[in-house]
Amino acid sequence: MGNELLAFVVMVIVQFAFAGMLIISKLVLDGGMNPFVQSAYRPIFATISIAPFAFFFERKTRPKMTRSILFQIFLCSIFGITANQYLYFIGLKNSTPTIASAIDNLIPAFTFIIAVPLGVEKLGLRSIAGQAKFLGTIACVGGAMLLSLYHGKVVIGQLGFHWKYAESTGKDVNSAHSNFFLGPFLLIMTSLSYAIWLIIQTRVNEKYAASYTSITLMCLMASVESIIIGFCVVPKLSEWTLNPIRAISVVYNGAVATSFTYFLSSWCIEKKGPLYVSMFNPLLLVISAFLSWTLLREKLYLGVVVGSIIVVAGLYGFLWGKKMETSAEDIIEVNKEKEQPIKSVDLELQLPNSKQISSNFAKAS
């Protein structure tokens, strides 16, 4: 009972940490911070905060690095951090925390869409599990399209109470809806980029069993990439200065919303499994919507509410199908072991499977 409660509390803390990143990032972006500058600082502080884990936990067990693995980590740095963060922060600047957290639930669907042609996932439309995954994917994408293209009337208006600092930025969070297509579109591309990273990162984890080291290298490469691109786009040094709220934002995003949440999610995956961790993703939508409504005076529109509900329903449908498929695979494995006694021990090089995809997705989330 104690472990059940602890795992639940840990995952709630993780979702609150991500929600805090959305709120404070939106605040500093509306306050004039350039998204390219914000994107450049995050991997720097993430590298600083996660490097000690790699040094103390994996310095004696770290396998040999090869050129192939290093190149794959380089690709992970591009898709998982550099491109992902640029798309994310620019999308958030032109959108709201509620929309960003809703579209984040597209990641499993995009991962499934990419994994099927690569042979990592099976479509399996003849089974109930395959149909659930397929319909859940369609619902996720359809809900995202709805909240991107349809605005509608105001369902929940502004709250009288709000954060005074948010008012000092001189921008209303709801003004982002004047460009309501660009923001959600970029956020959708963020989920697609993240799904590509999941596929590549899975192969890295198979060949290089030192997750903290690979993540540290990935963040370090992304730091160099982001700084180069950032200074090319924003050459003025004055744009890179950090006032107190901006400093809090970049340190929080790197140390808390990246390293700390990665550590907690990894612990929970080990104790409860990846599906348990994935089930908490929609909680981020609820927390972000509430905090954005109370602190930033965000209005909730009909298209956002209905689209978010469809996305969450699609996500749970997909996860339900995934759980059924995993249970069926486990039963088949057990039956095979019972029917065929083990005569020898064979070592095989295994290709990535659905469990590993789900595990890496949950770790990154």
Side-chain angles (χ1 to χ4, degrees):
M1 185 66 183
N3 289 334
E4 289 284 339
L5 179 61
L6 181 60
F8 176 83
V9 172
V10 164
M11 287 313 304
V12 171
I13 291 174
V14 167
Q15 300 308 319
F16 267 102
F18 283 134
M21 181 197 71
L22 285 170
I23 298 300
I24 196 169
S25 296
K26 178 63 176 175
L27 188 66
V28 296
L29 289 171
D30 284 351
M33 189 174 188
N34 192 290
F36 285 89
V37 176
Q38 174 83 327
S39 300
Y41 274 116
R42 182 179 181 182
I44 295 174
F45 286 99
T47 304
I48 295 172
S49 57
I50 204 171
F53 292 96
F55 178 77
F56 288 108
F57 294 160
E58 297 176 344
R59 58 178 176 174
K60 296 181 179 180
T61 60
R62 190 181 298 123
K64 183 180 179 180
M65 177 66 68
T66 65
R67 292 183 180 179
S68 174
I69 296 173
L70 191 63
F71 178 70
Q72 291 181 39
I73 293 176
F74 170 70
L75 293 178
C76 286
S77 70
I78 294 176
F79 288 103
I81 299 182
T82 305
N84 182 274
Q85 294 305 304
Y86 286 147
L87 292 170
Y88 184 81
F89 285 122
I90 298 174
L92 180 62
K93 184 178 179 66
N94 291 277
S95 184
T96 66
T98 302
I99 293 177
S101 57
I103 293 179
D104 190 58
N105 290 297
L106 279 174
I107 294 175
F110 278 138
T111 305
F112 176 68
I113 292 172
I114 298 172
V116 168
L118 295 177
V120 178
E121 281 276 4
K122 294 180 180 179
L123 192 57
L125 290 178
R126 294 183 179 181
S127 66
I128 297 178
Q131 293 171 6
K133 291 195 301 180
F134 179 72
L135 293 176
T137 301
I138 293 177
C140 283
V141 176
M145 292 296 103
L146 178 63
L147 65 85
S148 301
L149 301 176
Y150 177 66
H151 196 174
K153 62 180 182 179
V154 176
V155 177
I156 301 177
Q158 290 180 332
L159 186 67
F161 168 79
H162 64 285
W163 192 3
K164 289 185 177 180
Y165 184 84
E167 190 178 47
S168 67
T169 61
K171 289 188 178 181
D172 182 3
V173 68
N174 301 285
S175 65
H177 285 285
S178 60
N179 199 358
F180 72 96
F181 174 77
L182 177 61
F185 174 76
L186 292 177
L187 291 170
I188 290 173
M189 291 297 101
T190 300
S191 297
L192 179 60
S193 171
Y194 205 82
I196 295 173
W197 171 77
L198 286 173
I199 301 296
I200 304 173
Q201 184 65 33
T202 301
R203 298 187 180 276
V204 171
N205 288 347
E206 287 182 345
K207 297 179 181 179
Y208 192 74
S211 57
Y212 287 114
T213 302
S214 64
I215 294 296
T216 300
L217 289 173
M218 184 178 69
C219 291
L220 180 61
M221 292 178 181
S223 300
V224 177
E225 296 160 6
S226 300
I227 290 174
I228 294 173
I229 296 173
F231 272 109
C232 289
V233 178
V234 189
K236 293 183 179 180
L237 290 177
S238 59
E239 294 285 338
W240 291 77
T241 56
L242 297 177
N243 58 27
I245 190 65
R246 292 186 181 186
I248 292 173
S249 174
V250 296
V251 173
Y252 179 92
N253 290 348
V256 178
T258 302
S259 300
F260 181 66
T261 56
Y262 179 85
F263 176 79
L264 291 181
S265 297
S266 298
W267 176 86
C268 201
I269 287 169
E270 182 181 350
K271 298 296 182 181
K272 302 294 293 182
L275 282 177
Y276 181 86
V277 174
S278 300
M279 293 291 286
F280 282 84
N281 286 347
L283 181 61
L284 173 61
L285 173 59
V286 177
I287 298 172
S288 299
F290 177 77
L291 291 179
S292 186
W293 177 59
T294 54
L295 299 179
L296 305 182
R297 301 184 71 186
E298 177 185 353
K299 296 177 182 177
L300 296 181
Y301 293 84
L302 180 62
V304 175
V305 173
V306 175
S308 299
I309 292 173
I310 294 175
V311 169
V312 172
L315 173 66
Y316 278 123
F318 177 88
L319 294 176
W320 179 75
K322 186 61 142 178
K323 185 176 182 180
M324 288 186 61
E325 184 181 68
T326 304
S327 300
E329 289 176 354
D330 291 341
I331 292 173
I332 293 173
E333 280 293 323
V334 171
N335 291 336
K336 284 183 178 180
E337 290 178 0
K338 289 181 179 179
E339 293 175 0
Q340 299 177 0
I342 300 175
K343 295 181 179 180
S344 62
V345 178
D346 295 324
L347 298 177
E348 297 180 358
L349 179 62
Q350 297 181 348
L351 294 175
N353 54 34
S354 59
K355 292 182 182 179
Q356 293 167 319
I357 292 291
S358 299
S359 176
N360 280 279
F361 159 66
K363 284 183 181 181
S365 300

